[in-house]
Amino acid sequence: MGVLMSKKQQVEKVQKATAVVSAFQAGVKDRQVVAKQAEPDAEESEGPAKPSANAEEKTTEEAEQEETDNSAGPSTSAQASASAKDECKVNQEAWSRLRDGKGVEPEDLDKSHQLTPPAFVRPKREADDDQPVEVELEKKEQPTGDEMCDVCEVWTADDLYPCRICTRVFHDGCLRELGYLRAEALQEMRDTAHTVTGWSCYYCDNLNLLLTEEEMYSLMETFKQCKIIPESCLVSDELLQYRHFASKQLFDKDLTDEQEEEVLAQFAALDPEKKGQIEWSDFLYYESLAVLRKLRSENSLVRLLTGKERDKARSVFLGLALDKDGVISRAECRQAQQSWFQKLNKDSQSCNVSISHVGPICESSPASSGSERSNESRPVTWADFLKESAIYILAARPNSSAMHIRLPL
């Protein structure tokens, strides 16, 4: 019987080799420290033979001390400059992580993990991306989950936790060693992954990874112009300032009082726990959805859905089309779109209050236009239902309880 070596075993071999090298380097440093400590002892033993040398050293030290005292001002300035450079470096690293799709990397994450996080690759739009895609209503796809952990490629049966969006499965230990999930997030995964609510893996939870390089560059430029600091929380005043700037850039006008109230309602929807600030990840996902809704066609959004999401959409549509004529009403369509977010309201009623007040995520939002109300009587086919619901299905991916999109009224 052959022996299979998993990724984890290969990583462990590399780690052992690294540990040996580190130990060797530490030994070299220790020897250097011992040698430096031995030098003063040697000088002390030669002290009586070289009094003039000691006098010269003392004079030199006094001169250096005097120079230090005289240059206190410039030294403080140099420290301030160094601090500014460090802050700039931190921001640059944050922008780099954002560009590469790695999203949030809070300081309180455990950095002692041993496994190397995966390199994310942003998608590219194909030539037929905006063309209609045929998704059959009667034929369920029923994608099966992977058999081996996506991190270590080892099968351990019941110890694997599935993603509710894609077919990947994970060990909780592997996710902990990657350092992507805090302790509370890991516990949430253990509690929900095998339930109807389900759990989104770190690929599917991050809506920003749906953007192409070009779309991400455009979003980053907007952030930089608005002086948004990546990986930082935003308070309501900062969100208002950001919206005012965006309105000036796009429409050359300030927000009206009504629009300001809408922004504050959006803030409340992104802060369901009423902390007085919104997390960077929620703000990023909100803005990423705005980019998708603005730059992508409905057909393009349908192509982003996974087999599991399409199957759920089928079940919802067939549950509403009870007369088997293949169409549902506009009201039923809105009801179905709201059903994607039922998982978010399982523990809190505060979200229900803010849902009806959340403003559209962009000026061209269909939910904010009069054309939506004028088509109340128009029946909705399966193809139309899937196209109109795609953005809501995507918005329901994150594990966060924040509302990243306006629900249809």
Side-chain angles (χ1 to χ4, degrees), residues 8-21:
K8 187 172 184 180
Q9 291 170 326
Q10 294 174 356
V11 170
E12 288 175 351
K13 282 194 171 186
V14 174
Q15 291 165 355
K16 290 178 181 178
T18 304
V20 173
V21 174

Side-chain angles (χ1 to χ4, degrees), residues 340-389:
W340 297 111
F341 299 95
Q342 287 177 355
K343 71 179 184 68
L344 303 177
N345 303 325
K346 61 182 183 299
D347 296 324
S348 172
Q349 296 300 318
S350 61
C351 293
N352 293 328
V353 176
S354 62
I355 286 175
S356 62
H357 301 291
V358 180
I361 64 174
C362 65
E363 293 294 326
S364 59
S365 169
S368 63
S369 65
S371 60
E372 188 75 11
R373 292 187 294 272
S374 65
N375 292 325
E376 286 294 316
S377 59
R378 182 174 61 86
V380 181
T381 64
W382 160 242
D384 290 337
F385 170 78
L386 194 59
K387 287 191 294 184
E388 293 178 15
S389 300

Side-chain angles (χ1 to χ4, degrees), residues 244-260:
H244 270 292
F245 184 90
S247 180
K248 271 286 193 184
Q249 292 290 103
L250 296 174
F251 310 107
D252 196 26
K253 61 181 180 180
D254 290 321
L255 296 177
T256 63
D257 291 342
E258 183 180 349
Q259 288 172 324
E260 283 193 356

Side-chain angles (χ1 to χ4, degrees), residues 285-317:
Y285 299 166
Y286 182 91
E287 294 301 317
S288 299
L289 281 169
V291 171
L292 288 174
R293 200 166 194 177
K294 179 180 179 181
L295 301 181
R296 302 285 189 96
S297 65
E298 289 182 334
N299 290 325
S300 177
L301 294 177
V302 170
R303 293 179 184 275
L304 296 177
L305 302 180
T306 65
K308 287 184 178 181
E309 289 173 321
R310 290 191 295 268
D311 269 351
K312 184 178 179 183
R314 284 188 184 91
S315 298
V316 171
F317 186 86

Side-chain angles (χ1 to χ4, degrees), residues 22-78:
S22 299
F24 174 76
Q25 292 174 340
V28 172
K29 290 180 179 179
D30 290 341
R31 286 197 293 272
Q32 290 175 347
V33 171
V34 171
K36 288 182 179 178
Q37 290 175 347
E39 287 177 3
D41 296 338
E43 289 178 1
E44 287 178 7
S45 63
E46 297 173 0
K50 297 183 179 180
S52 60
N54 288 338
E56 289 177 4
E57 288 176 4
K58 185 174 181 182
T59 305
T60 304
E61 288 176 2
E62 291 175 353
E64 289 178 352
Q65 181 65 33
E66 186 177 349
E67 282 184 16
T68 303
D69 295 339
N70 293 336
S71 60
S75 176
T76 304
S77 175

Side-chain angles (χ1 to χ4, degrees), residues 125-402:
R125 296 190 65 180
E126 303 296 335
D128 61 345
D129 193 60
D130 293 323
Q131 298 302 313
V133 52
E134 184 177 352
V135 180
E136 296 182 29
L137 175 60
E138 302 296 337
K139 185 178 179 181
K140 285 202 170 187
E141 299 172 58
Q142 298 179 331
T144 56
D146 297 343
E147 294 185 351
M148 296 186 295
C149 172
D150 190 69
V151 179
C152 68
E153 295 188 350
V154 172
W155 176 78
T156 54
D158 296 336
D159 291 335
L160 291 169
Y161 294 89
C163 173
R164 66 184 176 87
I165 306 299
C166 64
T167 59
R168 298 182 184 93
V169 293
F170 302 86
H171 290 121
D172 55 349
C174 290
L175 291 175
R176 184 177 62 251
E177 290 186 35
L178 278 177
Y180 267 139
L181 302 182
R182 300 181 183 91
E184 59 269 23
L186 277 170
Q187 188 56 48
E188 180 185 359
M189 177 200 71
R190 298 185 187 106
D191 294 340
T192 61
H194 292 293
T195 66
V196 176
T197 300
W199 165 81
S200 295
C201 69
Y202 53 82
Y203 289 101
C204 301
D205 178 70
N206 190 349
L207 296 174
N208 183 254
L209 295 180
L210 298 175
L211 303 187
T212 64
E213 288 283 356
E214 295 79 11
E215 290 166 343
M216 189 61 230
Y217 177 80
S218 172
L219 183 59
M220 283 176 57
E221 286 301 305
T222 303
F223 287 165
K224 288 180 179 179
Q225 290 174 10
C226 297
K227 294 181 172 54
I228 294 293
I229 301 174
E231 301 180 3
S232 61
C233 298
L234 280 77
V235 297
S236 57
D237 288 345
E238 290 173 324
L239 185 62
L240 268 174
Q241 184 179 357
Y242 172 77
R243 289 278 170 243
H244 270 292
F245 184 90
S247 180
K248 271 286 193 184
Q249 292 290 103
L250 296 174
F251 310 107
D252 196 26
K253 61 181 180 180
D254 290 321
L255 296 177
T256 63
D257 291 342
E258 183 180 349
Q259 288 172 324
E260 283 193 356
E261 290 180 5
E262 190 175 85
V263 171
L264 293 177
Q266 292 171 349
F267 181 88
L270 292 172
D271 179 30
E273 298 178 4
K274 303 189 183 307
K275 295 179 180 178
Q277 61 184 24
I278 55 178
E279 299 294 329
W280 166 255
S281 57
D282 289 321
F283 173 72
L284 180 62
Y285 299 166
Y286 182 91
E287 294 301 317
S288 299
L289 281 169
V291 171
L292 288 174
R293 200 166 194 177
K294 179 180 179 181
L295 301 181
R296 302 285 189 96
S297 65
E298 289 182 334
N299 290 325
S300 177
L301 294 177
V302 170
R303 293 179 184 275
L304 296 177
L305 302 180
T306 65
K308 287 184 178 181
E309 289 173 321
R310 290 191 295 268
D311 269 351
K312 184 178 179 183
R314 284 188 184 91
S315 298
V316 171
F317 186 86
L318 290 172
L320 293 171
L322 298 177
D323 52 4
K324 306 298 181 184
D325 60 354
V327 297
I328 61 175
S329 68
R330 178 63 51 185
E332 289 173 327
C333 180
R334 288 196 299 271
Q335 175 188 343
Q337 289 164 354
Q338 291 178 2
S339 73
W340 297 111
F341 299 95
Q342 287 177 355
K343 71 179 184 68
L344 303 177
N345 303 325
K346 61 182 183 299
D347 296 324
S348 172
Q349 296 300 318
S350 61
C351 293
N352 293 328
V353 176
S354 62
I355 286 175
S356 62
H357 301 291
V358 180
I361 64 174
C362 65
E363 293 294 326
S364 59
S365 169
S368 63
S369 65
S371 60
E372 188 75 11
R373 292 187 294 272
S374 65
N375 292 325
E376 286 294 316
S377 59
R378 182 174 61 86
V380 181
T381 64
W382 160 242
D384 290 337
F385 170 78
L386 194 59
K387 287 191 294 184
E388 293 178 15
S389 300
I391 191 67
Y392 300 103
I393 298 173
L394 295 173
R397 284 186 178 185
N399 296 307
S400 169
S401 59

